[in-house]
Structure formats: C-alpha cells, structure tokens
Amino acid sequence: MASWISTGHLPTEAVVRQLVDEAHQRFGPVREGKVARYIPALASANPADFGIAVASTEGQLFEAGEALHPFSIQSISKPFLFALICQAIGERDARQKLGVNSTGLPFNSVQAVERAEDGLSNPMVNAGAIAATSLAPGDTVEAKWTFIQEGFSRFAGRPLELDEEVYASEVATNRRNLGIATLLEEQEGIWFDPEATTDLYTRQCALSVTTHDLALMAATLANGGRHPLSGEQVVAPPICQVVLAVMVTAGLYETSGDWMYDIGLPGKSGVSGGMITVAPGKGGLATYSPPLDGAGNSVRGQLTATFLSERLGLHLLASMPASPI
Ligand code: DON
C-alpha cells in the first residue's frame, strides 16, 4: 500500500452544517416511495420520519431530523459483516469463497444463485451475505453471534442490541432466504448449517441502530477502519478498501450503475429505510427515511446523497482542469 494517500477533506464545519440542514428541508416534503411490507414489522414505520447524519473522519457530527430514531439495520449490515469476515479469514479467501461481481438482479434473487455455476454472487446481496455469515468464526450459533454482535458494536462505538420484534417478524416470514441458503448448500457455497446460518443472518439484519450510529460506522470505513470517536482499529485499512470496492459495484443492487453515475461514492441501502454513503478519507453520510423505490432503496436517502455528494464535492470520479486557462 502507498505510504501516503490523498483523499482531500470535507468543506468547513459551517458549510457542512448548512448543507445538511438544507437537504433536510428540501427533501422532507417528498412523498414518493413505499414503506417495505414483506417483513410485517417494518410496515408500521412512519413514512414521515427523516434523519440525516454526517460524521467526519475526525469525529465531528452534523445531524438533522430524526437522527436518533432507532430502526433495524437490515442490508446495511452487509458491508460490515463482509469487513469482519475479511478480517477473520483474509480478503483473498473471502473473495474466492463469496465472489465480488454484481449480479444485476434484485437483492433476494434466487435466479442469481442458480445461474452462477460456481454459486458465487457478492456479499452485498442476500446469497453472498448468507454465505459470509456462515464463515463467522466459531463452531456454534452462539459463538458466531457473539463474533457478529461484538464486531458490529465496535463499528458503532457502542453496544448494539437486537430489535426483537423485527427479528421475530422476519423469522416467521423468511422462506426465501432459507431457500437461498439451501440452494447454496447444494452448490457447496455455505460453510455452516443453512438453517442456523439463515437465523444468524436474520438476527444481524435486526440489530437496532440510529442514523447517528450509521454515520459513525460509515466514517469508520472511510477512516481506514479506525472509529473516529473511540479510536478503536476495528478492521485493517486494506479491508476497508475491498469493502468499499464491492459497495461501489453492488451496494445498490441492480441500480448500482445509476447510483455511481449520480453520487459517485460507495453506498449501501436497507429495506427499513436506512442508507450509508462513504467518502473515503473524509467521512460517512447516513440517512433514515422508510419510503423505498422499486429496487428497495430509500427515496429521500438517494436524493440526500445526490445533493450532498454534489454540494460537498464528494464524487470520486469528479474531473476538473488542474489549473485555470
Ligand atoms: O434479507 C432480507 O430480505 C432483509 N433482512 C434485508 C434486505 C434488505 O435490507 C435489502 N435492502 N435494500
């Protein structure tokens, strides 16, 4: 790895604060999108709730709206799980066992698993995340759960607890994920009992977080794996790099291309309405707003990320003449 890396920096505190407030005012009135219903406990979410949080790699926080409202992390767990698995087994083995290429299909596609002869997808979709869960260190469900829950808590900088209602609700309706895990077993693409693995994956999706937590978790990925407030080195810097790479190509599932085109940063969404965006070296953005588009991504979350990426100058592929003519 290079001995120095230039990623630039966020604008001044006053600018970031003003833009976070402006994004909240602009997109609060948006009414498009539908709250997820396929997990019954998510259907009762308030579509008007809207939280924004930006955490810089130096630990400054900028928040607007319901940034402290708790919700289940859902698919935003996937990049953090992948990071923990890479840390445990090495990023080379993790790539070989899970794959890192986008499927171009919805997050819970069974077809994507069947179509791939080698059983590989990527750790941002359900199949790859279930396979990743099976690789958590430990011989028992409880040992694996301790590894996952403690790892996530280190990313957040505080102990994270389960949302028992969401967990029970998804367990009762989880046939599709169980089907994916069973199919993976047939392809020798899962390394623990499929039923127990599906249960662990479901538990991890039901960990309760706030927008504030997610901004700090995203900022930890932006900060070479070191939590900006606790100072703990959660995973090594090269692991953040590969996690962010997979988020770029598959974080928004079949709309990852559109996301990269507009926002130009690694991102990850979840069906409860959360979303994270990572600006490497600079910080993390998190939003919470339950109404989703057809691909399962928060509508206000995408609008906020587009606005802040542009106004904070975060697009990774931005290209400007080096000097004025
Ligand atoms: O496995 C599921 O279907 C949920 N626990 C998580 C899906 C999810 O968040 C997809 N994201 N947009």
Side-chain angles (χ1 to χ4, degrees):
M1 210 173 206
S3 57
W4 70 272
I5 295 167
S6 171
T7 61
H9 50 80
L10 288 177
T12 61
E13 281 190 45
V15 170
V16 181
R17 184 163 297 117
Q18 191 261 320
L19 287 171
V20 165
D21 287 342
E22 190 179 330
H24 195 265
Q25 278 159 23
R26 267 180 186 239
F27 306 122
V30 170
R31 289 287 169 267
E32 277 96 71
K34 288 205 172 72
V35 172
R37 299 197 171 274
Y38 78 100
I39 300 172
L42 297 184
S44 57
N46 179 359
D49 279 348
F50 182 28
I52 305 179
V54 169
S56 76
T57 47
E58 279 105 42
Q60 299 144 308
L61 277 145
F62 308 90
E63 298 178 347
E66 278 85 34
L68 298 178
H69 177 82
F71 56 94
S72 55
I73 189 168
Q74 297 301 338
S75 284
I76 305 171
S77 61
K78 289 167 176 164
F80 301 102
L81 176 77
F82 182 49
L84 293 169
I85 297 303
C86 283
Q87 183 74 26
I89 71 169
E91 61 266 42
R92 264 221 245 144
D93 265 15
R95 185 213 314 234
Q96 192 225 328
K97 288 191 151 80
L98 305 170
V100 293
N101 288 310
S102 68
T103 64
L105 291 166
F107 64 88
N108 56 3
S109 173
V110 175
Q111 195 197 338
V113 190
E114 252 189 325
R115 204 181 55 179
E117 278 167 28
D118 51 9
L120 298 183
S121 55
N122 69 73
M124 299 300 116
V125 297
N126 289 15
I130 291 169
T133 304
S134 77
L135 292 169
D139 296 332
T140 63
V141 171
E142 279 324 307
K144 286 183 188 290
W145 177 242
T146 301
F147 170 84
I148 294 170
Q149 189 172 20
E150 286 183 359
F152 275 67
S153 299
R154 290 209 309 277
F155 265 115
R158 72 170 183 100
L160 295 182
E161 300 297 332
L162 206 58
D163 181 328
E164 297 284 354
E165 192 201 340
V166 171
Y167 170 56
S169 177
E170 190 167 355
V171 163
T173 53
N174 214 4
R175 298 236 154 64
R176 180 176 275 266
N177 284 334
L178 203 49
I180 288 173
T182 311
L183 205 55
L184 284 172
E185 188 184 32
E186 222 171 74
Q187 293 170 324
E188 299 178 6
I190 191 165
W191 293 270
F192 195 58
D193 174 69
E195 263 181 64
T197 303
T198 307
D199 179 69
L200 279 166
Y201 161 80
T202 309
R203 266 200 238 181
Q204 144 212 308
C205 288
L207 279 170
S208 182
V209 291
T210 64
T211 315
H212 169 102
D213 291 328
L214 287 180
L216 283 164
M217 293 172 83
T220 303
L221 288 179
N223 195 36
R226 184 175 300 158
H227 192 283
L229 295 181
S230 76
E232 187 170 354
Q233 190 71 44
V234 183
V235 293
I239 287 174
C240 294
Q241 190 169 311
V242 299
V243 171
L244 295 177
V246 186
M247 286 169 74
V248 164
T249 51
L252 278 279
Y253 313 119
E254 69 273 34
T255 59
S256 296
D258 285 314
W259 170 268
M260 195 59 196
Y261 207 99
D262 291 332
I263 288 113
L265 293 162
K268 189 74 206 77
S269 62
V271 282
S272 50
M275 190 167 253
I276 58 166
T277 308
V278 180
K282 298 176 184 169
L285 159 69
T287 51
Y288 172 66
S289 168
L292 311 178
D293 68 9
N297 302 319
S298 168
V299 174
R300 287 197 196 97
Q302 291 173 86
L303 290 168
T304 305
T306 306
F307 175 77
L308 288 179
S309 169
E310 189 189 320
R311 299 292 287 276
L312 295 171
L314 302 178
H315 200 300
L316 287 176
L317 308 178
S319 177
M320 300 278 270
S323 56
I325 300 167

CSV table of all heavy atoms in Angstrom, one decimal, residues 38-39 74-75 78 107 126 170 177 201 205 253 269-271 296-297, ligand 1:
chain,number,residue,atom,x,y,z
A,38,TYR,N,-42.9,-6.6,3.2
A,38,TYR,CA,-42.7,-8.1,3.2
A,38,TYR,C,-42.2,-8.6,4.5
A,38,TYR,O,-42.3,-9.8,4.8
A,38,TYR,CB,-41.8,-8.5,2.0
A,38,TYR,CG,-40.3,-8.3,2.1
A,38,TYR,CD1,-39.5,-9.3,2.5
A,38,TYR,CD2,-39.8,-7.0,2.0
A,38,TYR,CE1,-38.1,-9.2,2.7
A,38,TYR,CE2,-38.4,-6.8,2.1
A,38,TYR,CZ,-37.6,-7.9,2.5
A,38,TYR,OH,-36.3,-7.7,2.7
A,39,ILE,N,-41.6,-7.7,5.3
A,39,ILE,CA,-41.3,-8.1,6.7
A,39,ILE,C,-42.3,-7.3,7.5
A,39,ILE,O,-42.3,-6.1,7.6
A,39,ILE,CB,-39.9,-7.6,7.1
A,39,ILE,CG1,-38.8,-8.3,6.2
A,39,ILE,CG2,-39.6,-8.0,8.6
A,39,ILE,CD1,-37.4,-7.8,6.4
A,74,GLN,N,-30.9,-4.0,8.8
A,74,GLN,CA,-31.2,-4.7,7.5
A,74,GLN,C,-30.0,-4.8,6.7
A,74,GLN,O,-28.9,-5.1,7.2
A,74,GLN,CB,-32.4,-4.1,6.8
A,74,GLN,CG,-33.7,-4.2,7.6
A,74,GLN,CD,-34.1,-5.6,8.0
A,74,GLN,OE1,-33.7,-6.6,7.3
A,74,GLN,NE2,-34.9,-5.8,9.0
A,75,SER,N,-30.1,-4.6,5.4
A,75,SER,CA,-29.0,-4.9,4.5
A,75,SER,C,-27.7,-4.0,4.6
A,75,SER,O,-26.7,-4.3,4.1
A,75,SER,CB,-29.4,-4.8,3.0
A,75,SER,OG,-30.2,-5.9,2.7
A,78,LYS,N,-24.6,-5.6,5.6
A,78,LYS,CA,-23.8,-6.5,4.7
A,78,LYS,C,-22.3,-6.0,4.6
A,78,LYS,O,-21.4,-6.8,4.7
A,78,LYS,CB,-24.5,-6.6,3.4
A,78,LYS,CG,-25.7,-7.5,3.5
A,78,LYS,CD,-26.6,-7.4,2.3
A,78,LYS,CE,-27.8,-8.4,2.3
A,78,LYS,NZ,-28.8,-8.1,1.4
A,107,PHE,N,-31.9,-7.9,-4.8
A,107,PHE,CA,-31.1,-8.4,-3.6
A,107,PHE,C,-31.4,-9.8,-3.2
A,107,PHE,O,-30.6,-10.5,-2.6
A,107,PHE,CB,-31.2,-7.4,-2.5
A,107,PHE,CG,-32.6,-7.2,-1.8
A,107,PHE,CD1,-33.0,-8.1,-0.8
A,107,PHE,CD2,-33.5,-6.3,-2.3
A,107,PHE,CE1,-34.3,-8.0,-0.2
A,107,PHE,CE2,-34.7,-6.1,-1.7
A,107,PHE,CZ,-35.1,-7.0,-0.7
A,126,ASN,N,-28.3,-10.9,-0.7
A,126,ASN,CA,-28.7,-11.9,0.3
A,126,ASN,C,-27.8,-13.2,0.2
A,126,ASN,O,-27.3,-13.6,1.3
A,126,ASN,CB,-30.2,-12.2,0.3
A,126,ASN,CG,-31.0,-11.0,0.8
A,126,ASN,OD1,-30.5,-9.9,0.8
A,126,ASN,ND2,-32.3,-11.3,1.1
A,170,GLU,N,-39.3,-11.3,11.0
A,170,GLU,CA,-38.6,-11.8,9.8
A,170,GLU,C,-38.4,-13.3,9.8
A,170,GLU,O,-38.5,-14.0,8.8
A,170,GLU,CB,-37.3,-11.1,9.5
A,170,GLU,CG,-36.7,-11.4,8.1
A,170,GLU,CD,-35.6,-10.6,7.7
A,170,GLU,OE1,-35.2,-9.6,8.3
A,170,GLU,OE2,-35.1,-10.9,6.6
A,177,ASN,N,-35.1,-16.5,2.1
A,177,ASN,CA,-33.7,-16.6,2.5
A,177,ASN,C,-33.3,-18.1,2.8
A,177,ASN,O,-32.2,-18.5,2.5
A,177,ASN,CB,-33.4,-15.7,3.6
A,177,ASN,CG,-33.3,-14.2,3.2
A,177,ASN,OD1,-33.0,-14.0,2.0
A,177,ASN,ND2,-33.6,-13.3,4.1
A,201,TYR,N,-28.1,-14.7,10.0
A,201,TYR,CA,-28.2,-13.6,9.1
A,201,TYR,C,-29.4,-12.7,9.4
A,201,TYR,O,-29.3,-11.5,9.4
A,201,TYR,CB,-28.3,-14.2,7.7
A,201,TYR,CG,-28.8,-13.2,6.6
A,201,TYR,CD1,-27.9,-12.2,6.1
A,201,TYR,CD2,-30.1,-13.2,6.3
A,201,TYR,CE1,-28.4,-11.3,5.2
A,201,TYR,CE2,-30.6,-12.3,5.4
A,201,TYR,CZ,-29.8,-11.3,4.8
A,201,TYR,OH,-30.3,-10.4,3.9
A,205,CYS,N,-29.5,-8.7,10.6
A,205,CYS,CA,-30.3,-7.7,9.9
A,205,CYS,C,-31.2,-6.9,10.9
A,205,CYS,O,-31.7,-5.8,10.6
A,205,CYS,CB,-31.1,-8.3,8.8
A,205,CYS,SG,-30.2,-8.9,7.4
A,253,TYR,N,-27.6,-2.8,-5.5
A,253,TYR,CA,-28.1,-3.9,-6.3
A,253,TYR,C,-28.2,-3.5,-7.8
A,253,TYR,O,-27.2,-3.0,-8.3
A,253,TYR,CB,-29.5,-4.3,-5.8
A,253,TYR,CG,-29.5,-4.4,-4.3
A,253,TYR,CD1,-30.3,-3.6,-3.5
A,253,TYR,CD2,-28.7,-5.3,-3.6
A,253,TYR,CE1,-30.3,-3.7,-2.1
A,253,TYR,CE2,-28.7,-5.5,-2.3
A,253,TYR,CZ,-29.5,-4.7,-1.5
A,253,TYR,OH,-29.4,-4.8,-0.1
A,269,SER,N,-27.8,0.4,1.0
A,269,SER,CA,-29.2,0.7,1.4
A,269,SER,C,-29.7,-0.5,2.2
A,269,SER,O,-29.2,-1.6,2.2
A,269,SER,CB,-30.0,0.9,0.2
A,269,SER,OG,-30.0,-0.3,-0.6
A,270,GLY,N,-30.8,-0.3,2.9
A,270,GLY,CA,-31.5,-1.3,3.6
A,270,GLY,C,-33.0,-1.1,3.5
A,270,GLY,O,-33.5,0.0,3.4
A,271,VAL,N,-33.8,-2.2,3.6
A,271,VAL,CA,-35.3,-2.1,3.4
A,271,VAL,C,-36.0,-1.4,4.5
A,271,VAL,O,-37.1,-1.0,4.3
A,271,VAL,CB,-36.0,-3.5,3.2
A,271,VAL,CG1,-35.8,-4.0,1.8
A,271,VAL,CG2,-35.6,-4.4,4.3
A,296,GLY,N,-35.9,-1.2,-3.7
A,296,GLY,CA,-35.7,-1.3,-2.2
A,296,GLY,C,-34.8,-0.3,-1.7
A,296,GLY,O,-34.2,-0.5,-0.6
A,297,ASN,N,-34.6,0.8,-2.3
A,297,ASN,CA,-33.7,1.9,-1.8
A,297,ASN,C,-34.5,3.1,-1.4
A,297,ASN,O,-35.4,3.5,-2.1
A,297,ASN,CB,-32.7,2.2,-2.9
A,297,ASN,CG,-31.9,1.0,-3.4
A,297,ASN,OD1,-31.5,0.2,-2.6
A,297,ASN,ND2,-31.7,0.9,-4.7
B,1,DON,O1,-32.9,-10.5,4.0
B,1,DON,C1,-33.7,-9.6,3.8
B,1,DON,O2,-34.6,-9.6,3.0
B,1,DON,C2,-33.7,-8.4,4.8
B,1,DON,N1,-33.3,-8.9,6.1
B,1,DON,C3,-32.7,-7.4,4.3
B,1,DON,C4,-33.0,-6.9,2.9
B,1,DON,C5,-32.6,-5.5,2.7
B,1,DON,O3,-32.4,-4.7,3.5
B,1,DON,C6,-32.5,-5.1,1.2
B,1,DON,N2,-32.1,-3.7,1.0
B,1,DON,N3,-32.5,-2.8,0.4
